[in-house]
Each structure stands twice: as structure tokens, then as C-alpha cells.
Amino acid sequence: MTTASPGPSTATALTARRGASAETMLATVHELAADRYAGRRIGTPGGKAAAAWLADQLRAVGAAVTPDAFEVTGVKELQSTPALAVGPRNLVHRRDFAEQLTSAEVPVPRSGPLAPAETGSWHGRWVLVAGADQQTVDRARTEAAAGLLVPRGADEAGWMPKMIAGPPTGPVAILSVRTDLHAALAHNVGQMVTASVPMRTIATTGTNVHGVFAQASPVQLSVVLTAHFDGVGDDPEQRHPAAADNASGVAVVLEAARLLSTDLPPGIGLSVAFLDGEEAGARGSAHHAPQLAAGTFVINVDGAAELGAAAAVEAGGPAEPLLAALDQAGRLTGVPLRAGAMASDNRRYAAAGLPAIGIGMGIPGYQTPAETPDRVETRTLLAATNLVTATVNQLINNPAQLGETP
């Protein structure tokens, strides 16, 4: 989707005149990225503390708050920092290598000579392979290889982003090595490799935080603003602040809800859902979506840190009226829009048959230690807040667009 736009600077000015507080939103980002929340992974003390803090913030702006707990399985957790040494060289976790989510748990370092995939026997060896497909894993298990080393790309800053949800644990130790380094290791064949993968799969409990500002009267518009507050969590020796993904989106939703709730017409429903477990497979929204009444409009914000050329928008469910309102809001506020994949909580609501859109405005440092509060742009927070509030106001002020009688 694209809209005519006078540019982000105009969008910022429009939002500022309408009362959005950049200072408040930046304070929210800095708070959620603070050390005490330890990256806000689902089920951790830091994640639970973040949920409690957000509940207090919603109460402070007039919402009736309800926490909603749910169970989650299949979350990957590091018990200590993985290790990988090739000869005398100790490689750096998340710079040179990272855990592979299908790896077997190897808490105690395991040693063996480095070998190419073409070697006759893999027994007791760490083997350089192009990928961990089923045939490769089966051979490694059958021949009792020490483990597999597979190539993986890094981001533009040289980090290997962290993930905590994916395929089940397998029978073979696997580590991902930065692509260029993986290729260079072919010159180290025969050297001793010592590595550990102290990763386990756990079940835990997440907590969504719901804030209701006004219940919708029958046949009236009801809107839910959503953003996930969880992150992938800190490593044992490395911070993952999760400022852009998604402290920035949380800050926008909180501020947009505050602004909208101060002048809400009678009968219009407005609520907020701060969702847990998005990084573990969008489990919080999967739990929440079936609870919503049919026809509830859902606007999800995931990433509001670096607008760039345009905001990415994905629509799902019967979202035509919502898209029309968003398109008009983009034109009014000067925020450029484009159709783009938003693999976030909005998809869970759409799958439940609800009109839902996901909005994304950039995640610099995505799921790495470089995802820090200083990389969250004030202008993007303001532009995102303006877009969300203008979209809701378009829905409110154009009931004919929704098939309602004014």
C-alpha cells in the first residue's frame, strides 16, 4: 500500500500538535529496555516484572486492567554461554557462531577433530556441512559424529540474531557458524574442535495484560490496540535490550490509547492488549484472539523505531473497512504506507476471523545486543502514534464505511 505523503517531518509536526508526548514514549522504551527486565523473555522474572509495570501504566491512564496467564511449551533457553574453539582460537558467541535450535543439548564441552563433509567416517568428528537436513542429521547420528557446523548469515553489523522458538530439539549437536568463517574453517581440517550447546527446551507461563477503557455498546465499533512486550531475553553473559522489538510498539500503543480515551464518543469500545510470547510463536495473541467478539477491529504495532521510506502494513481477515481507514489516516498524517509482510500477532487475530492489521516501522538491531534505546527515533514514535490514532478516529467518524447507520 502506498499513499501520497508530505513526508515524515510533516507527520511528526502534526502528531506533536495533537498532544502526543515524545518524552513519555521514550521513557517507556528506556524503562522496558532496562537491565532489571533482562530482555523480557516469556516466563522469566524480568518478563513478569515488565507485565506488572505495564499494568500500572494502563491503570494510570484510566484503564481497567486484567492480567491473563497462559501456558507455553517449546521455549529454548540457554543455561550458560555456548562455546566453540577451533585449535587455539575461541570463537565469539553471536559474532562468530550461535546455537542451532534443532541441536541436541550438550552442556559439557565435547571435543573432536574438524572434518569436511566428504571425509570417509564422521565418528567422533565435528563436521563442516552445508546444512542440517534430515539426511545429514541421520548420518551424523548413525556414525556418532561429535557434531555438525553449519553456515549462517549475520546482520549488517555482524551479529547473529537470537531466536527462542523453532523446530524440536534433535539427536545431534549442531552449531551455526558465520558464513565467511564457516568457509574459512575448511583450511583448519584436522584441528581439534571443542564445543558445547547448553540449550534446553522448557515449558513456562506467559501473561497478557489487558486494559479496557470503554466497553462497546451493541452494534457499535470496538477497537483493540495490541503490541507484544516480550523479547528474546538476555543471554547468560550478554544483554538483549529489545528496545525496538517491541518496547517501541508498546510505547506507541500506550500513548495512542491515552490520547484516544480522553475524547471517546459514547458507545465506542476501546481496549489495549499487551501481549506476551510473540517471540515464542505469537502464543499470547493465539490465546487472546478467541476471546474477542466477532467484528472487533485489531491494530497491532510491532516495531516503531526507524520509519525509513514507509510503514509496512499487512491486513488479514475482513479488514477492508480497517484498511480504508488506515489509508485515509496515512494521507491525513503524511505517513507513507506500503504493503509488506508483518509476521506478528496480527496474523493470529486474522486467523480467528477478525479484521486485523499489523503496522511496522523498523527494528534496527533486530534481536541482537545492538537493539538499544538510542536507536529508537523520536519522529518514528510520533508518526506511529499519529497513524494509529488517526486510523481509529477515521473508523469512529465514518460509520457508513463500516456498514453502520450514523
Side-chain angles (χ1 to χ4, degrees):
M1 173 185 296
T2 59
T3 66
S5 168
S9 61
T10 302
T12 299
L14 285 169
T15 308
R17 287 200 299 272
R18 294 179 182 180
S21 171
E23 293 77 10
T24 298
M25 287 189 283
L26 287 171
T28 296
V29 171
H30 279 268
E31 174 68 26
L32 291 174
D35 292 354
R36 60 183 162 276
Y37 299 113
R40 310 189 307 277
R41 202 209 75 200
I42 185 172
T44 61
K48 294 179 185 300
W53 185 83
L54 286 169
D56 288 342
Q57 302 314 298
L58 283 169
R59 292 187 188 99
V61 293
V65 176
T66 305
D68 184 15
F70 58 94
E71 301 303 311
V72 174
T73 59
V75 178
K76 308 290 184 173
E77 179 179 74
L78 290 178
Q79 300 175 76
S80 58
T81 302
L84 176 58
V86 180
R89 181 182 178 186
N90 291 310
L91 305 188
V92 180
H93 184 229
R94 301 223 183 280
R95 286 292 196 179
D96 299 327
F97 77 100
E99 63 278 3
Q100 219 269 8
L101 294 183
T102 59
S103 176
E105 181 181 348
V106 184
V108 178
R110 177 183 296 172
S111 296
L114 183 64
E118 299 78 19
T119 196
S121 172
W122 288 6
H123 181 77
R125 301 173 186 272
W126 284 94
V127 186
L128 290 166
V129 294
D133 57 37
Q134 191 61 54
Q135 182 178 0
T136 301
V137 170
D138 286 346
R139 178 181 175 185
R141 175 178 52 80
T142 300
E143 297 188 21
L148 301 175
L149 302 178
V150 301
R152 178 184 167 190
D155 69 10
E156 61 184 12
W159 291 102
M160 303 176 77
K162 181 179 181 179
M163 296 177 286
I164 61 169
T169 296
V172 175
I174 309 173
L175 285 170
S176 299
V177 179
R178 199 180 68 237
T179 302
D180 61 319
L181 181 56
H182 185 273
L185 286 179
H187 301 293
N188 298 90
V189 166
Q191 286 195 333
M192 190 62 64
V193 172
T194 301
S196 64
V197 194
M199 178 182 67
R200 62 181 179 179
T201 303
I202 65 167
T204 189
T205 302
T207 304
N208 291 337
V209 181
H210 303 304
V212 177
F213 291 88
Q215 295 280 6
S217 61
V219 304
Q220 287 281 5
L221 172 71
S222 182
V223 178
V224 180
L225 306 181
T226 65
H228 77 89
F229 68 87
D230 65 303
V232 293
D234 288 353
D235 285 337
E237 299 177 84
Q238 181 71 68
R239 289 251 35 229
H240 284 261
D245 182 23
N246 187 34
S248 64
V250 168
V252 166
V253 165
L254 185 61
E255 184 66 359
R258 181 188 70 81
L259 293 170
L260 289 164
S261 66
T262 60
D263 191 26
L264 202 63
I268 301 297
L270 176 66
S271 61
V272 163
F274 288 133
L275 302 165
D276 206 352
E278 194 272 347
E279 304 295 358
R283 304 297 289 277
S285 51
H287 174 74
H288 181 226
Q291 303 174 27
L292 295 180
T296 301
F297 289 86
V298 180
I299 301 174
N300 182 66
V301 181
D302 194 349
E306 188 178 68
L307 177 56
V313 175
E314 179 178 303
E320 290 81 2
L322 184 52
L323 269 177
L326 177 67
D327 185 69
Q328 186 62 25
R331 296 175 186 276
L332 291 172
T333 60
V335 179
L337 309 175
R338 64 172 176 83
M342 282 294 300
S344 185
D345 291 302
N346 45 284
R347 293 185 176 179
R348 293 291 196 176
Y349 294 103
L354 300 168
I357 56 172
I359 301 171
M361 296 191 184
I363 303 175
Y366 175 68
Q367 293 184 348
T368 75
E371 197 187 317
T372 50
D374 61 290
R375 303 187 70 182
V376 177
E377 297 176 345
T378 300
R379 75 181 187 102
T380 300
L381 292 171
L382 289 169
T385 304
N386 192 33
L387 183 65
V388 170
T389 56
T391 300
V392 176
N393 283 324
Q394 284 295 308
L395 291 170
I396 292 171
N397 295 328
N398 295 280
Q401 186 172 276
L402 307 179
E404 299 174 5
T405 301

